Structure formats: C-alpha cells, structure tokens
Amino acid sequence: MDIADEQVSPDARVPLSKYPFVIIRRVARAPSYVTAGLSVGVFVCILFLFTPPGFFHGFGHRPGPGPGHPPPPKWRWPPLMNDNSPKPKLSGVDWNARAENVKSSFLHAYHGYEKYAMPADELQPVSNGAVNNFNGWAVSIIDSLDTMYLMGLHDEFERGLAVVKTLDFRKHDKGVPFFETTIRYLGGLLSAYALSHDFSLLQAADELGMALLPAFNTSSGFPMFAVTPSSGITSGSRYGWLAEIGSFQMEYKYLAKLTGRKAYYDVAQRVTSRLNTINLEHYPGELLPAAWFVDEGIPGGDQVTIGAMADSGYEYILKQWILTNFTEFDSLNLYKRTIGAYLNYGLYLSPGRNLLYVTDFTAQSPSRRFEHLSCFVPGLLALGAETNVLPEQHLSSQERQVHVWAAKGLAISCAAMYNDQSTGLGVEEVVFLNKWEYQAKRDARAGLVTSTGSPSSEIVRKDQENLRWMNVLQAWQNGEYKVASDEGSQMKGSATGQGIVPGLRYPPLPVEDKPEDREYTYRQRDYRLRPETIESLFILWRTTGDEVWRELGWRIYLSIEKECRTPSGYAQMNDVRNASLGLQDSMPSYFLAETLKYLYLLFSDDSLLPLDKYVLNTEAHPFPIFSWTDWEKTKFGIS
Ligand SMILES: *[C@@H]1O[C@H](CO)[C@@H](O)[C@H](O)[C@H]1NC(C)=O
Ligand SMILES: *[C@@H]1O[C@H](CO)[C@@H](O)[C@H](O)[C@H]1NC(C)=O
Ligand SMILES: *[C@@H]1O[C@H](CO)[C@@H](O)[C@H](O)[C@H]1NC(C)=O
C-alpha cells in the first residue's frame, strides 16, 4: 500500500472509541471527578522535622493569590549547579531520613490498597473503593512487588506473593491490552523474580508471556492491541502506536534469557529488526512516526512524537542495547540516529524565559505541546550519554556534550512545570506560545493594543524556526546568539559563545505573572501522580552526582504529600493551579511502581540498585543486564 494514499493523522483517524483504554505510556483511566476537601496536616508537619530550617520559604504559608498579588513561586530553586565543581553537596541533609519518608508514604498507599481494594487492580483513594481496569489481576500488587523488595518490606511482599500464586492468567476469557499487560504485569513479575529469585514469579511470568504470544499473529509481526488469553483471539484497530508495538522487547528478551524459549526472542527481535530496516525517508531525520499499520508493519501518519503514544518506543531502543550488555549494534545505531534527529527537530526554546522544551511535530510544523509524559526524555538522554553506555567510538565528546546539555535543560523545564504552579505539582500538558502570541499577551497585559495586524504564516514559521534549539545552539557556538531582553543579565557572554548555554539558565527566570499570562497555555491541567520528571531527576542524580537533582525531587515529594494524600492513599489532582478544585478518585499502580520507587531510589544509596548492573523498563521494573551465552546465540540465531 502506498503510504501517501493512506496518510492519517493519528488524532483524526485512529478510532479511539475502539480502544478500551487510553493507550499511552502510563494510562490514567478517566475517573469520575470527585471533589473532596482533604486536609493533610500531621504527616506534613512530621516531614518538616526532617527539613533544614529555612529551606522552604513560603512552603505551607503561601498567601492566596488576590488581585494584583500574583502567586509566589512554589519553592526556591536549590543552589546553582556548576559543571566545574565536582559533586557539590548540600550540607545538613539527611538523605536516609528522606528515603524513610518515602517508604512510609508507600506503606500508607499500599496498606490503603490492601485494606480497601485488594485483590482488585487499583484503589480509589477518595471513596475507598476498588476498581478493575487492568484485567483484574491485582495490578497494584504485581506492579509494586519490586518496590517492596527494594524497600525491605518483607511482610507486604509475602502477602502480595500469596495473591499472585492464586492467579491463572491463561483462563482469562476477555481481551487484555498487550502493551499495558506487558509493561506492568510481565515487567513486574520479571523484576520481582530478578530481585527475589522466587521461582513462582518466573513461572507466572512464563505463563503470562505464553498467554500473550498470540498477539503477534500479524503478517508484520507487530503485536495487536489486545489478545484473549484463553482463546488466543486478538482484537484492536488496524492502527497501532509506536509505544504499543515497540515497548515489549526488554520483557520478552529477558524472558527468553530466563526460560531458553526461542519464541520469546523471535517475536521481540522481529519487531526490533523491522523498526531498524523500514524505509522512513518520508519523515524528518528518518524518525519513527507515532502511528503504524499493525498488520502491514508500515508507518501510518505524519506525526512524530517522543511523548504520548510513542515515548517508550524510543526508550526501548537504547535500553535493549543496555540490557544485552552492549551487544546489539542495530539498537545502538537506531538510538544514535533517532535521538540525534529528535534533538535536531523536536527541541525548542520558549519565548520569555527561554525554557528548553521537547515537542511533537509534522514536516510542516511543531505543535509546541510539552507533555509531562515526555519528561522521561532528560533521563534517557543522560543515561545514553554515560561513557559506559555509549563509549567514545559511538558518541563523540561533542555529541555527548549536547546530549547532556539537552538532558539538563529539559529537566530544568520539567521541574519548572511543577514550581510554576501554586500547588507545586507538575502540569499534564501545556502549549508554549510562539513569539507573536507571547508578544500579544504581553501587550495586552501592559494595556497596549497590539500594533500591526497578524504576521504572515511564513513569518511565524520563520520566527519559530529561530527558536529551534539546534539553530540557537549553532548561533551561540558561532558567537552570534543574541540575548533576548527577557533573559536578564545572568545570561551573559553570548557574544563570544561563552556563558550559559541557551536553555540551561538555572534557576529559570521567576514567573511573576499570573498563570494566565505565562508563555504557555494550559491544555491538560491535572497532575496524575506521574513519575517521569522524578525518573529523570533520579538518572541525572546518578549520572552527575549533583545533589541539586535530589533536592528538586524532594520538593516534588513534599508537594505530593501536601496536596495528594488522602486518608487511604494518594489521589490525582484536578487542577495544578488551584488545589480547591479537588482530587480524582484514582491511584494508578504506576504511582507505587514508579513514582515512589524513583523517589526512594533518588534518596537511597547508589548501591541499592547500581545502574551498571540493572536497567529499568518503562514501568520502572529493573532487569539485570545480561550477556547471551554461545549456546543461546546459536539457539536463537543471534549473530
Ligand atoms: C492467526 O490468525 C489467523 C487469521 O488471521 C488464524 O486463522 C489463526 O488461527 C491464528 N493463529 C493463532 C495461533 O492464533
Ligand atoms: C479556585 O477554585 C475555587 C472553586 O472553584 C474558586 O472559588 C477560587 O476562586 C479558585 N482560586 C483561584 C486562585 O483561581
Ligand atoms: C558484559 O560484558 C563485559 C565485557 O565483555 C563483561 O566483562 C561483563 O562480564 C559482561 N556482563 C555481564 C553481566 O554479562
């Protein structure tokens, strides 16, 4: 089939109504919006005992925003990081105590789940109800087993294991979503096995892996959206997303390693090979697009994104290279090509504060959307820029420098999306303004009438192109970068190519305006207890040793405690700009699997989970890095 004939915009053509679930990296099922005024109180006071005096100016006694009184920034940014000073330390912080705080938060959430919801999938933390939204196999337990193991929670782990032993995945006679079932259940079973060596977990993983295999019964080898374990019947649209078709190879390759079953290796490698060899000339930088025809195994739309619907597809390219102990050169080359092209085409500076952001685009233009989901990108970049992951022969020191800059700049912006809000919680999705929209907004605020009519689309396009990070970086390196007046005096040395790298100003310029006046508009205003920003802070802490990243994670943690905690667990927040708009009755299993795990790891000693021994799947389940034996290479046909 000719791609040109069949081009679809994912938004327009994919029949979402056919999808039983919203399929994105971390699904948050649209809950019933339940507003509840919930006070936190005592626990937060206890947290403050662990906090050095003077650290949180304004925290806890924020004046309400009134007319003429914009909300102050949520917290002060921790001390400036400095590339030249090795491992700057914040004095007087007891990181172990902070890790213990996170552990008690986990226990609060998990005990609430056990009390009100077990063995259903998830707790409803406002109504103390229970909900089955991922096959009814106790996803909160299986997703949390490795977190419990790492936290040393033996009793909870044993109780969870007892429930897992009662499950029989193979008898299930309804369709289960392949992607979510793989990353949460299969990933959770495999990592819990890797840590505990409890054989029943491997048996369960093998049964589940086998039950899901019929999903690959397509002519391309791409997995179908859903499969019914009891019958092997598949279902789903003929369109699939990159995240769905390309985020299972870590689980299946590790399962092949543990069981010796060739079928597991084959289904994974078939997709990896196809993504490596397919003709992508149609796309800028030959990037992998978001939408695909599942059966034909060919691209199905114009949109390129590393956010929702695609994210972990990019993530698993690098992580397969790591998981197999740096032996899959196809994956290595695909990562270098795709991430390089994404840095070129998908990163922009905002007008105003010059925040670096990553967005999705078509050949015509960037959408300028910035999603919480894409805040895993700084962590991915930082991980790939490690010299043991991509040594000098694979990534030049110049390229490495750009990857690290992008990682830091994006992480600062991801943290700013928390700090900008009066709740201190990260907004789900914003759209950055273009230069002209921003100017009009400022004029309006200043009471000016925007001078001339609207600029031509060609001028708008050109001005946006001037904000593309790679263009700015090039100009900066050539000494041609002009400091916008907004950037203030701290952005110095631009004329000589010296000074702060564009997009890396730290701390970012303060927001003194009202939320409505920012250089972005709010597209989805909720905080869904998502992990991505914390995940990136964790990787940056591990790869740079700079405690500033840990400290930012702590501030996010305090906001979660203050705003999201309920008597039985933690709930998603409806509007990060206004806590009184209440909470949603939902505590996704990824909050236990990822958000709290990454926070715990961020404050714990590196030896708890060394990153030269483990690599985490997209649901934060750690798998040990392994090498294929000669026997396995022969059996599986690995060259
Ligand atoms: C694969 O799909 C075909 C039809 O598309 C069907 O006839 C066959 O039975 C399926 N095989 C398995 C193993 O499910
Ligand atoms: C927050 O929402 C409440 C309830 O709708 C409203 O009364 C209040 O004015 C809002 N506050 C702000 C700062 O927007
Ligand atoms: C990974 O490869 C290196 C170099 O070949 C080897 O020394 C190391 O033992 C391998 N690690 C694992 C876990 O197999």
Side-chain angles (χ1 to χ4, degrees), residues 266-285:
D266 286 348
V267 292
Q269 190 51 33
R270 192 164 171 211
V271 171
T272 297
S273 302
R274 190 165 188 99
L275 294 179
N276 258 296
T277 51
I278 189 133
N279 183 344
L280 294 166
E281 276 170 10
H282 177 71
Y283 299 95

Side-chain angles (χ1 to χ4, degrees), residues 325-327 625-628:
N325 200 15
F326 317 106
T327 53
I625 295 171
F626 64 77
S627 301
W628 298 114

Side-chain angles (χ1 to χ4, degrees), residues 214 217 231-233:
N217 187 14
S231 64
I233 292 171

Side-chain angles (χ1 to χ4, degrees), residues 111-248:
H111 288 164
Y113 164 77
E114 280 187 322
K115 181 166 177 193
Y116 296 110
M118 196 167 79
D121 279 338
E122 290 173 348
L123 169 73
Q124 293 178 307
V126 175
S127 63
N128 296 340
V131 61
N132 277 327
N133 41 15
F134 290 102
N135 322 339
W137 298 336
V139 71
S140 289
I141 297 178
I142 294 181
D143 232 1
S144 317
L145 284 172
D146 56 5
T147 309
M148 297 185 236
Y149 192 91
L150 290 167
M151 290 179 172
L153 302 172
H154 301 283
D155 294 347
E156 285 74 12
F157 186 89
E158 291 302 326
R159 290 201 294 271
L161 200 56
V163 175
V164 174
K165 285 177 181 168
T166 67
L167 300 169
D168 189 342
F169 309 118
R170 295 165 300 186
K171 287 198 189 127
H172 198 82
D173 61 2
K174 293 190 192 67
V176 305
F178 173 78
F179 164 70
E180 295 287 352
T181 303
T182 299
I183 65 168
R184 298 188 196 221
Y185 285 108
L186 189 53
L189 291 167
L190 286 169
S191 63
Y193 169 73
L195 296 172
S196 72
H197 306 294
D198 186 297
F199 190 67
S200 67
L201 290 164
L202 177 55
Q203 266 181 319
D206 190 25
E207 283 171 18
L208 180 55
M210 203 50 88
L212 297 178
L213 268 187
F216 295 97
N217 187 14
T218 55
S219 41
S220 67
F222 285 179
M224 288 290 289
F225 171 73
V227 57
T228 302
S230 63
S231 64
I233 292 171
T234 57
S235 55
S237 155
R238 60 185 297 235
Y239 309 106
W241 300 107
L242 182 63
E244 293 176 286
I245 64 180
S247 328
F248 69 93

Side-chain angles (χ1 to χ4, degrees), residues 500-515:
I500 295 167
V501 183
L504 268 78
R505 191 184 198 284
Y506 183 92
L509 285 166
V511 266
E512 282 161 13
D513 51 9
K514 294 191 293 255

